[in-house]
Amino acid sequence: MRRGPLAGRYPAVAAMVVFALVPFLALSAALSSITPLIAKDLHMSTEALSVTSGMANAGYAVGTVLAVQFAQLLPQRRMLLVYGSALVVGSVLTAAATAPAMFVVGHVLQGLCTSLLLIAAVPPLIIGYPAARLRTTAVVMNMCIFGAVALGPVLGGVQASAHGWRPLFWAIAGVAVAALALSLMTYQEVPPAAPDAPIDYIALCLATVGCVSAFFGASELTAHRFAEARTWGPLIGGLLLIVVLFVHEYTSRHPLLCVQSLLSTLPVAGIVAAICAAAASVSAISLTQISLAHRTTPLHLGLVYLPEFGGAVLAALFFGATFHTRLLHYFVLVGLLFLAAGVLVMNAAAPPTSTLVAVGSGLVGVGVGASVVPALFIAGFSLRSSNVQRVFAIVELVRAVAAFLIAPVLLYVAATVGANADSGTRTALWICFGISLAGALIGVALYYLGRVRPPTPSVDGWLSGERTGWDSPPLLARFSRFARAGGDDDPCP
């Protein structure tokens, strides 16, 4: 079997995952500061750039489902090379763009390929090495996903202060090239997971049309009122299609996503926590960025959010120390409370001040780093490790919808509700506070109603693929004597 010179070397594989995920995730958080420069250089309207960003986010969401389907039918490591190559192409197109079409195609490719790489590369890093490596992997994942996002505003502010945007995009392209090179050097042949599995055309169509429609509708809020059909129609219709997607996967005899297996207390609580944390954190950062943008310089604005990166690093380190203990459950709860506190601090003055936003962003960094990826492991430990790819796909799909869809809606609220923009921003931040607090309260309620005593995961048993990491009680077990528990009774092939 063909193998690269660094095949099986954990540091090289982990570095490949980092380089594959960082470009788009950091860029998506940096765009706010450099959007005016891109618009001026490429002669694009604000609405066109908003739609471009929305379609890139839609590509990220759709890619989570596509990646699972491709992994079932095609050699997985070969596809990793295809995804990496396409990411390089997309990154070069955006950096070298001389016309709007080049930028649009390139940026959408970046979003799509990042999620394809995420679902293809991260699960093997989790289950392909001994249990002793899982602690490091947990920290790497947290830093990849949220360290990069937290660093985005700083990178955007630094680049905007230099009155350019292409150097950042070329740097992103360089990182993508490094990811592709590491994919080649760590290559080892991996067969399809289920080559005889049927193609779930219904799921692929629902995911694609639903995400594209919903994100298009949300992006139209920058230039149109919600009451207009071109805004609410795609937005509401797309969300309904995403709901239909999950219903279809729940009822399917051969599901692509393990929806039915996740409908028990622990994974549902984890997914709710991930949704609320993603929605509240991205929205709060976006709202305060726009509020402060015309009150300070781009460099100062970027540095205001540097504490968020520090908070994400701190949370990742604590996560590494707790993920294999029963403290993992309490860690997610504490993270949501830190997130709520961060939003509350940001909203302590109207308009938000740089000092309050800096302190609040640090708390938000701790909160989101302590909630989303830890919640992913809570869901993942509830199924056998052989299905971690599908669990990851579901969590990332709903996280992307929550993070990238709710933020534009709350930005619209900030711009249209209240006597002025500052009053509207305050209202929208209160909604963010409510979302983060709701995640904590719903999680506690689900544990209570499911009669859950936070268990310690059996990491070795889970990695062996022979059993789940723990037994997840049925939903609402206090009221339903015959409710079905998730876990070992897994309908996914």
Side-chain angles (χ1 to χ4, degrees):
M1 296 178 68
R2 286 171 289 181
R3 292 171 57 91
L6 299 179
R9 304 287 184 87
Y10 181 85
V13 176
M16 181 266 290
V17 170
V18 172
F19 290 157
L21 303 187
V22 164
F24 178 76
L25 295 175
L27 195 59
S28 63
L31 277 179
S32 176
S33 299
I34 58 177
T35 291
L37 300 173
I38 299 172
K40 180 180 178 181
D41 197 14
L42 297 180
H43 307 290
M44 297 178 69
S45 66
T46 302
E47 181 182 359
L49 277 171
S50 176
V51 172
T52 300
S53 179
M55 292 302 96
N57 293 332
Y60 182 91
V62 172
T64 59
V65 180
L66 287 175
V68 175
Q69 184 68 83
F70 290 153
Q72 298 294 298
L73 305 175
L74 300 169
Q76 297 183 51
R77 290 308 293 266
R78 295 184 197 177
M79 294 307 298
L80 195 63
L81 298 180
V82 174
Y83 305 152
S85 300
L87 179 62
V88 170
V89 171
S91 299
V92 171
L93 281 175
T94 54
T98 57
M102 286 180 65
F103 185 85
V104 171
V105 172
H107 195 45
V108 172
L109 265 179
Q110 285 180 311
L112 174 64
C113 294
T114 297
S115 62
L116 291 171
L117 286 163
L118 181 70
I119 303 304
V122 172
L125 185 68
I126 294 174
I127 64 176
Y129 293 89
R133 291 288 193 184
L134 195 54
R135 183 196 306 269
T136 304
T137 300
V139 175
V140 168
M141 285 179 58
N142 219 335
M143 289 304 303
C144 278
I145 297 175
F146 298 106
V149 172
L151 202 56
V154 182
L155 296 176
V158 171
Q159 184 63 83
S161 68
H163 306 290
W165 60 275
R166 293 187 191 274
L168 176 60
F169 278 79
W170 280 117
I172 294 296
V175 175
V177 170
L180 178 59
L182 284 169
S183 297
L184 287 167
M185 288 188 285
T186 59
Y187 181 85
Q188 58 187 73
E189 192 72 18
V190 177
D196 297 326
I199 298 176
D200 196 339
Y201 291 106
I202 296 178
L204 297 178
C205 289
L206 288 172
T208 302
V209 178
C211 290
V212 170
S213 177
F215 280 96
F216 175 80
S219 64
E220 285 291 287
L221 288 171
T222 58
H224 301 277
R225 294 180 298 115
F226 182 80
E228 295 184 33
R230 65 182 296 168
T231 300
W232 69 262
L235 177 56
I236 302 301
L239 286 174
L240 288 176
L241 288 177
I242 293 171
V243 172
V244 172
L245 166 66
F246 286 109
V247 173
H248 165 72
E249 290 300 285
Y250 178 82
T251 59
S252 175
R253 293 181 59 188
H254 303 287
L256 183 62
L257 305 175
C258 298
V259 174
Q260 186 175 350
S261 301
L262 289 172
L263 284 182
S264 60
T265 298
L266 295 181
V268 169
I271 291 172
V272 168
I275 291 173
C276 293
S281 61
V282 172
S283 300
I285 296 299
S286 299
L287 286 163
T288 51
Q289 274 187 302
I290 290 178
S291 180
L292 291 176
H294 63 281
R295 294 183 170 95
T296 185
T297 65
L299 180 60
H300 182 264
L301 179 61
L303 293 176
V304 163
Y305 294 96
L306 190 57
E308 184 188 5
F309 177 72
V313 172
L314 188 64
L317 295 176
F318 275 100
F319 176 44
T322 61
F323 86 97
H324 61 302
T325 71
R326 63 186 300 175
L327 293 177
L328 172 62
H329 307 267
Y330 301 102
F331 188 64
V332 174
L333 175 61
V334 170
L336 287 166
L337 295 178
F338 263 89
L339 178 56
V343 176
L344 199 61
V345 170
M346 289 179 170
N347 206 19
T353 66
S354 296
T355 301
L356 289 174
V357 170
V359 174
S361 72
L363 294 172
V364 167
V366 172
V368 74
S371 51
V372 179
V373 172
L376 166 65
F377 273 85
I378 287 178
F381 283 142
S382 302
L383 273 69
R384 291 189 291 271
S385 61
S386 57
N387 282 320
V388 69
Q389 196 173 47
R390 296 173 173 190
V391 175
F392 205 178
I394 292 175
V395 174
E396 277 303 290
L397 173 60
V398 297
R399 186 189 73 83
V401 170
F404 300 133
L405 203 59
I406 292 178
V409 173
L410 290 184
L411 289 174
Y412 177 79
V413 169
T416 57
V417 173
N420 51 49
D422 292 334
S423 173
T425 298
R426 192 172 183 84
T427 299
L429 284 172
W430 277 119
I431 295 173
C432 293
F433 173 77
I435 290 172
S436 54
L437 204 58
L441 294 176
I442 292 172
V444 170
L446 286 172
Y447 272 54
Y448 173 76
L449 296 175
R451 298 181 182 273
V452 174
R453 298 183 64 183
T456 299
S458 174
V459 175
D460 290 327
W462 182 74
L463 284 175
S464 72
E466 297 176 358
R467 54 158 299 175
T468 59
W470 48 42
D471 294 325
S472 178
L475 279 172
L476 310 179
R478 288 182 181 272
F479 304 122
S480 180
R481 182 176 302 176
F482 304 104
R484 192 186 74 84
D488 287 319
D489 186 20
D490 188 357
C492 289

